[in-house]
C-alpha cells in the first residue's frame, strides 16, 4: 500500500529510543511515515529535541522528516520553573516549531494540582497567541474546563487534541474552534466502543493520525514499545470503521494535519 502518513505525535527524542532510533526511523519511512512531529514535554529535553529534528529536517530514504514542537506537559509539574517560560519564549523567537506543545491539563489523579496546571496552561496559551502557533493539547479528565479556557481566551490558531477520548459533544466543540482530534492505538481495541462510535459519527474530516510512541501501543502489542512504523495499523482500523479505502483516508488525514499544522510543508 503506497500511502503518505504523518505521525502527528511521537516522542522520538525519549531515551528509550536511543539504542534503536535510526532503525525505527528507517522502518517508519518504509511504512509510509514521511513526517513525525516530536513534542517537547519539559525544558530539560528541548535542546536535544531541537537538535534531533535539525539533524533530520528533510525526508530521505532512511529517515522521515522530524519537526519539533515545544511545550511544558501537565504531568511534569514538579519539573517546571518560571524561568522555563522565559526560555520557551526565547526558543520560539529562535526556532520555527510546528506547534506549541505538548501542553494542557491532566486531572486524572485526585491529587492533581489543578490551579497550577491552569496557570501554566494560560501562560503557554498567551505565548501561542503571541507567536500565532497551533497547540498539541494533552487533555485527560478535563475536557470541559479546557474547552471553557480556550473559549475564554478566544484562541484562534487551532491545533490537535492529542489522544482524544471525550464525548461527541466535546469533540464538536473542539472542531468548532479549529482543532482536529488525534487518534492512535486506543481505537484499535475492540472494547473502545465509545471512541469507535465517535469516529463513525464525526467522519474522516475530524481526525489526524498519531502514535504517542513509545506509549499507547496498538491492540495485540500490549507491553511493547510503540513505534511510528505501527501507524498503518491505526489507519487500517480507521478504514474499517469508516468503510473507506486506506489510501483515500491517508490522503484525508494528511490534509487534515496540514490544515492545523501549516508549517508541516514549509
Amino acid at each position: 500500500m503506497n500511502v503518505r502518513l504523518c505521525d502527528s505525535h511521537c516522542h522520538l527524542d525519549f531515551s528509550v529510543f536511543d539504542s534503536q532510533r535510526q532503525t525505527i526511523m528507517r522502518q517508519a519511512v518504509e511504512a509510509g511515515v514521511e513526517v513525525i512531529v516530536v513534542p517537547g514535554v519539559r525544558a530539560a529535553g528541548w535542546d536535544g529535541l531541537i537538535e534531533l529534528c535539525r539533524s533530520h529536517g528533510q525526508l530521505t530514504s532512511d529517515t522521515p522528516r522530524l519537526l519539533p514542537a515545544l511545550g511544558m506537559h501537565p504531568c511534569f509539574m514538579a519539573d517546571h520553573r518560571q524561568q522555563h517560560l522565559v526560555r520557551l519564549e526565547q526558543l520560539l523567537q529562535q526556532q520555527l516549531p510546528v506547534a506549541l506543545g505538548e501542553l494542557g491539563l491532566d486531572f486524572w489523579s485526585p491529587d492533581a494540582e489543578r490551579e497550577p496546571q491552569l496557570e501554566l496552561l494560560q501562560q503557554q496559551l498567551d505565548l501561542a497567541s503571541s507567536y500565532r502557533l497551533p497547540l498539541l493539547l494533552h487533555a485527560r479528565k478535563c475536557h470541559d474546563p479546557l474547552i471553557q479556557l480556550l473559549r475564554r481566551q478566544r484562541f484562534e490558531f487551532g491545533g490537535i487534541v492529542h489522544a482524544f477520548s471525550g464525548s461527541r459533544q466535546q469533540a464538536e466543540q473542539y472542531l468548532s474552534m479549529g482543532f482536529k482530534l488525534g487518534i492512535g492505538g486506543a481505537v484499535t481495541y475492540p472494547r473502545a466502543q465509545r471512541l469507535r462510535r465517535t469516529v463513525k459519527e464525526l467522519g474522516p474530516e475530524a481526525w489526524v493520525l498519531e502514535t504517542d510512541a513509545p506509549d499507547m501501543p496498538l491492540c495485540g502489542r500490549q507491553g511493547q514499545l510503540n513505534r511510528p512504523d505501527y501507524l498503518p495499523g491505526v489507519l487500517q482500523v480507521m478504514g474499517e470503521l469508516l468503510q473507506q479505502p486506506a489510501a483515500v483516508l491517508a490522503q484525508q488525514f494528511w490534509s487534515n494535519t496540514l490544515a492545523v499544522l501549516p508549517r508541516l510543508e514549509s
Side-chain angles (χ1 to χ4, degrees):
M1 180 175 58
N2 185 20
V3 295
R4 189 184 192 197
L5 301 175
C6 173
D7 186 344
S8 66
H9 200 109
C10 172
H11 297 285
L12 196 59
D13 61 315
F14 281 11
S15 60
V16 69
F17 288 122
D18 285 352
S19 65
Q20 52 186 317
R21 188 174 288 112
Q22 290 300 127
T23 298
I24 286 174
M25 285 195 288
R26 184 179 68 252
Q27 292 172 335
V29 171
E30 292 171 353
V33 180
E34 295 188 7
V35 177
I36 296 175
V37 178
V38 186
V41 296
R42 47 187 169 182
W46 291 339
D47 288 341
L49 185 156
I50 290 168
E51 177 57 27
L52 174 65
C53 292
R54 187 199 64 78
S55 301
H56 300 285
Q58 299 296 324
L59 173 68
T60 72
S61 60
D62 292 325
T63 64
R65 186 181 182 210
L66 306 185
L67 297 175
L70 299 173
M72 301 166 73
H73 194 294
C75 287
F76 298 99
M77 293 300 296
D79 295 337
H80 302 322
R81 301 290 183 270
Q82 192 65 31
Q83 61 264 33
H84 295 161
L85 284 163
V86 176
R87 176 60 176 156
L88 179 57
E89 182 163 18
Q90 291 172 342
L91 289 172
L92 296 183
Q93 294 169 349
Q94 299 165 9
Q95 309 294 325
L96 286 174
V98 71
L100 201 68
E102 180 177 358
L103 52 80
L105 300 173
D106 194 307
F107 295 168
W108 181 78
S109 169
D111 301 323
E113 302 172 279
R114 298 193 175 201
E115 287 307 315
Q117 284 190 39
L118 286 162
E119 181 180 358
L120 179 62
L121 176 57
Q122 179 65 69
Q123 291 169 317
Q124 292 182 92
L125 286 178
D126 290 341
L127 282 177
S129 294
S130 295
Y131 290 89
R132 306 176 67 86
L133 285 170
L135 308 175
L136 300 183
L137 278 176
H138 175 99
R140 190 162 64 156
K141 300 293 183 182
C142 66
H143 288 297
D144 289 338
L146 181 53
I147 289 167
Q148 291 171 10
L149 179 57
L150 290 168
R151 289 201 182 282
R152 188 164 62 247
Q153 177 85 6
R154 296 184 179 178
F155 188 78
E156 57 184 278
F157 302 105
I160 297 170
V161 185
H162 157 58
F164 180 76
S165 61
S167 68
R168 176 178 177 177
Q169 181 184 33
Q170 291 164 336
E172 289 174 339
Q173 292 185 74
Y174 285 122
L175 294 169
S176 73
M177 292 187 286
F179 288 85
K180 299 294 185 184
L181 310 174
I183 193 83
V187 78
T188 67
Y189 290 81
R191 68 173 182 269
Q193 290 300 310
R194 186 176 78 160
L195 178 58
R196 290 181 166 210
R197 184 169 61 250
T198 303
V199 166
K200 295 176 183 178
E201 290 171 345
L202 295 179
E205 295 80 10
W207 306 93
V208 300
L209 299 179
E210 63 177 31
T211 60
D212 197 29
D215 298 319
M216 295 182 65
L218 280 65
C219 183
R221 297 187 183 275
Q222 295 93 318
Q224 299 179 27
L225 194 72
N226 198 11
R227 304 155 45 124
D229 57 297
Y230 296 158
L231 199 61
V234 179
L235 177 63
Q236 178 183 346
V237 172
M238 291 293 281
E240 294 167 359
L241 293 173
L242 294 168
Q243 298 184 331
Q244 292 195 24
V248 173
L249 280 181
Q251 181 57 51
Q252 178 69 61
F253 295 147
W254 181 276
S255 297
N256 293 349
T257 310
L258 184 58
V260 288
L261 303 180
R263 294 184 181 181
L264 212 67
E265 291 190 333
S266 63

